[in-house]
């Protein structure tokens, strides 16, 4: 069990550019979550997948954001036309659908939009 | 809407000086209350889940307790390596997703 992995760990981009982040969950976990965390705040929910189906999206997820989880394995989060307000840590978590439903987090991708 | 409030925002302790962190919550039916530890620049690390009032869990120098309105994370005889931000989160009983709603955390610094 290698844990949740995310790539890249850091990304610097210019305003208006598109960026894509990848998350690889723990292998047997069927649920995958994306959160966003800004400095001094707790993580905020963005969206979640059960297998390949995207079941919930936060109102924080504007139409510039899109997430996919093809074949229920890894997931990607794309931000189009980035804005300075998108600068944050993007966290991925995964869980196994069972009674405990513990979410295990990856190391995050730190995005800086210049 | 689910809400989580953590206090204090920051706490400075001397090594060996025990203390408690507070997490107050409002949720439409609590499925679970979670404690995570987060080191700077890293993702949250799972510590505990509590499901019902009166439940307690322990791990090394940490002990988490739960009532119907709040949870406490007790730190006994802390060491400098316990320095981190401690996050509390609630998970509601809902028909759909199982998202976590987090507080803003308590930043703990343990000094020699």
């Amino acid at each position: 069990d290698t844990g949740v992995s995310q790539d890249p760990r850091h990304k610097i981009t210019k305003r208006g550019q598109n960026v894509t982040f990848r998350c690889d969950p723990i292998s047997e976990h069927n649920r995958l979550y994306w959160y966003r965390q800004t400095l001094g705040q707790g993580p905020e929910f963005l969206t979640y997948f059960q297998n390949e189906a995207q079941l919930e999206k936060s109102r924080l997820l504007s139409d510039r954001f899109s997430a996919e989880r093809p074949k229920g394995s890894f997931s990607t989060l794309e931000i189009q036309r980035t804005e300075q307000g998108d600068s944050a840590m993007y966290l991925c978590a995964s869980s196994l659908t069972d009674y405990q439903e513990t979410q295990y987090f990856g190391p995050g991708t730190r995005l800086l939009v210049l | 809407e689910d809400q989580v409030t953590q206090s204090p925002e920051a706490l400075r302790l001397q090594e060996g000086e025990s203390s408690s962190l507070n997490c107050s919550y409002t949720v439409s039916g609590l499925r679970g209350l979670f404690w995570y530890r987060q080191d700077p620049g890293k993702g949250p690390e799972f510590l505990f889940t509590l499901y019902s009032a009166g439940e307690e869990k322990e791990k090394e120098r940490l002990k988490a307790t739960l009532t119907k309105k709040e949870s406490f994370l007790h730190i006994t005889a802390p060491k400098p390596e316990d320095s981190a931000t401690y996050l509390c989160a609630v998970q509601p009983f809902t028909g759909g997703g199982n998202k976590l709603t987090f507080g803003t955390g308590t930043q703990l610094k343990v000094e020699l």
Side-chain angles (χ1 to χ4, degrees), chain A residues 22-90:
Chain A
R22 176 179 170 126
C23 170
D24 287 90
I26 294 171
S27 59
E28 69 270 22
H29 286 187
N30 59 339
R31 288 186 172 170
L32 187 147
Y33 300 78
W34 286 99
Y35 291 83
R36 180 173 67 187
Q37 186 177 25
T38 54
L39 199 62
Q41 300 297 312
E44 293 178 295
F45 170 78
L46 293 178
T47 189
Y48 116 92
F49 292 84
Q50 178 154 318
N51 300 311
E52 66 275 11
Q54 188 174 18
L55 296 185
E56 188 174 351
K57 292 194 289 187
S58 164
R59 56 184 168 76
L60 294 175
L61 210 66
S62 76
D63 55 9
R64 295 185 298 106
F65 287 71
S66 62
E68 293 183 340
R69 191 182 182 198
K71 301 179 182 178
S73 55
F74 69 92
S75 176
T76 58
L77 178 68
E78 181 182 16
I79 309 174
Q80 296 183 325
R81 306 181 303 281
T82 52
E83 301 173 355
Q84 288 184 324
D86 297 330
S87 296
M89 173 81 91
Y90 290 84

Side-chain angles (χ1 to χ4, degrees), chain B residues 72-93:
Chain B
F72 292 93
L73 185 66
H74 307 278
I75 303 176
T76 303
K79 298 182 177 181
E81 54 262 40
D82 295 322
S83 298
T85 295
Y86 291 85
L87 295 165
C88 171
V90 295
Q91 186 179 65
F93 278 113

Side-chain angles (χ1 to χ4, degrees), chain B residues 59-101:
Chain B
K59 179 181 179 180
E60 297 180 353
R61 295 176 293 282
L62 301 177
K63 178 180 176 181
T65 62
L66 181 65
T67 72
K68 288 186 177 179
K69 293 183 178 180
E70 58 192 350
S71 176
F72 292 93
L73 185 66
H74 307 278
I75 303 176
T76 303
K79 298 182 177 181
E81 54 262 40
D82 295 322
S83 298
T85 295
Y86 291 85
L87 295 165
C88 171
V90 295
Q91 186 179 65
F93 278 113
T94 59
N98 295 286
K99 65 183 179 185
L100 298 175
T101 298

Side-chain angles (χ1 to χ4, degrees), chain A residues 9 31 33 35 37 41-43 45 48 56 89 91 98-103 105-107, chain B residues 1 31 34 36 38 41-44 46 49 51 87 91 96-100 102-104:
Chain A
R9 295 292 311 278
R31 288 186 172 170
Y33 300 78
Y35 291 83
Q37 186 177 25
Q41 300 297 312
F45 170 78
Y48 116 92
E56 188 174 351
M89 173 81 91
L91 293 162
D98 62 8
Y99 172 72
Q100 292 192 326
E101 186 73 63
T102 299
Q103 293 180 28
F105 284 81
Chain B
E1 187 173 320
R31 182 165 191 244
F34 296 77
Y36 288 86
Q38 187 173 30
K42 297 188 177 182
F46 171 72
T49 311
Y51 294 100
L87 295 165
Q91 186 179 65
N98 295 286
K99 65 183 179 185
L100 298 175
F102 282 87
T104 54

